Amino acid sequence: NAGVMQNPRHLVRRRGQEARLRCSPMKGHSHVYWYRQLPEEGLKFMVYLQKENIIDESGMPKERFSAEFPKEGPSILRIQQVVRGDSAAYFCASSPVSVDEQFFGPGTRLTVL
Amino acid sequence: AQSVTQPDIHITVSEGASLELRCNYSYGATPYLFWYVQSPGQGLQLLLKYFSGDTLVQGIKGFEAEFKRSQSSFNLRKPSVHWSDAAEYFCAVGALTGNQFYFGTGTSLTVIP
């Protein structure tokens, strides 16, 4: 059973471009979580999704950030018009049920030039 | 408000010595508690978790943690550290509703020969 997959592993964007980060949860997992890790900091929750639904987006910046988890395909975290402050590692996690261990992917390291 | 505090930013121990990493939490309900380890450039791997029952939990790689409700603590221990244990360690508390984990800022462990 493959673990949580994230791609790309590294992403470089110039200011103003769009970044798309993909996450494929573990097989059988329908709950997906996105976290952001800034240098020298812990992980900060961004959004929690189930298939086709956003359950909790309390950690998402109000502008430029969006997330989806369609019926088919991976979950996508989209950042429009990136700025240097968006440079961070973005981790996706999945779980089979809502109250359970979260399994983390290897992360996508976004660098904004 | 929910929060997790890891008071030690960086710890250095000699190989073979014992280890204790501190974690204190603030949570308004029964917490679910986790310890994760992160190697450089990698994702997070679960070491152990506490949901209920015995307050001393055993994890992988010889780690254990003890939940002390009266002290709001969930400290991680290992009797004899190996050089391969050098990594970043994160304590996290999960919500009963399962929406998100709250992470501490991490403790960086260095192991010297």
Side-chain angles (χ1 to χ4, degrees), chain A residues 9 33 35 37 40-45 47-48 55-56 58-59 91 98-107 109, chain B residues 32 34 36 38-46 49 51 90 95-106:
Chain A
R9 294 291 306 276
Y33 312 79
Y35 293 84
Q37 183 180 32
E40 309 299 323
E41 293 187 15
L43 280 72
K44 294 286 193 283
F45 168 79
V47 62
Y48 163 41
I55 307 301
D56 181 356
S58 59
F91 289 94
S98 61
V99 182
D100 204 349
E101 169 191 348
Q102 293 181 14
F103 294 81
F104 282 81
R109 280 149 184 85
Chain B
Y32 294 163
F34 306 82
Y36 283 87
Q38 183 183 31
S39 297
Q42 302 298 314
L44 279 72
Q45 180 184 21
L46 180 73
K49 61 184 177 183
F51 277 16
F90 292 97
L96 183 61
T97 54
N99 282 7
Q100 60 175 285
F101 283 6
Y102 296 90
F103 281 85
T105 51

Side-chain angles (χ1 to χ4, degrees), chain A residues 73-97:
Chain A
S75 174
I76 306 287
L77 179 67
R78 182 182 178 204
I79 311 173
Q80 295 177 291
Q81 300 175 335
V82 296
V83 301
R84 289 220 174 103
D86 296 332
S87 295
Y90 292 83
F91 289 94
C92 169
S94 73
S95 65
V97 295

Side-chain angles (χ1 to χ4, degrees), chain B:
Chain B
Q2 299 90 339
S3 66
V4 177
T5 302
Q6 293 181 248
D8 304 305
I9 297 173
H10 193 142
I11 283 182
T12 299
V13 299
S14 298
E15 191 168 16
S18 63
L19 172 71
E20 182 169 26
L21 302 182
R22 294 183 291 168
C23 172
N24 293 97
Y25 66 90
S26 173
Y27 196 69
T30 301
Y32 294 163
L33 297 158
F34 306 82
W35 274 99
Y36 283 87
V37 60
Q38 183 183 31
S39 297
Q42 302 298 314
L44 279 72
Q45 180 184 21
L46 180 73
L47 287 175
L48 47 76
K49 61 184 177 183
Y50 172 78
F51 277 16
S52 65
D54 193 348
T55 56
L56 183 64
V57 293
Q58 303 296 321
I60 62 171
K61 305 183 180 184
F63 286 92
E64 66 177 26
E66 186 171 12
F67 170 56
K68 293 185 177 179
R69 185 185 298 275
S70 62
Q71 298 177 20
S72 297
S73 69
F74 189 56
N75 294 348
L76 181 71
R77 300 193 294 250
K78 185 169 184 177
S80 178
V81 171
H82 189 262
W83 64 266
S84 60
D85 293 324
E88 189 88 16
Y89 291 80
F90 292 97
C91 179
V93 60
L96 183 61
T97 54
N99 282 7
Q100 60 175 285
F101 283 6
Y102 296 90
F103 281 85
T105 51
T107 297
S108 177
L109 175 65
T110 297
V111 180
I112 57 177

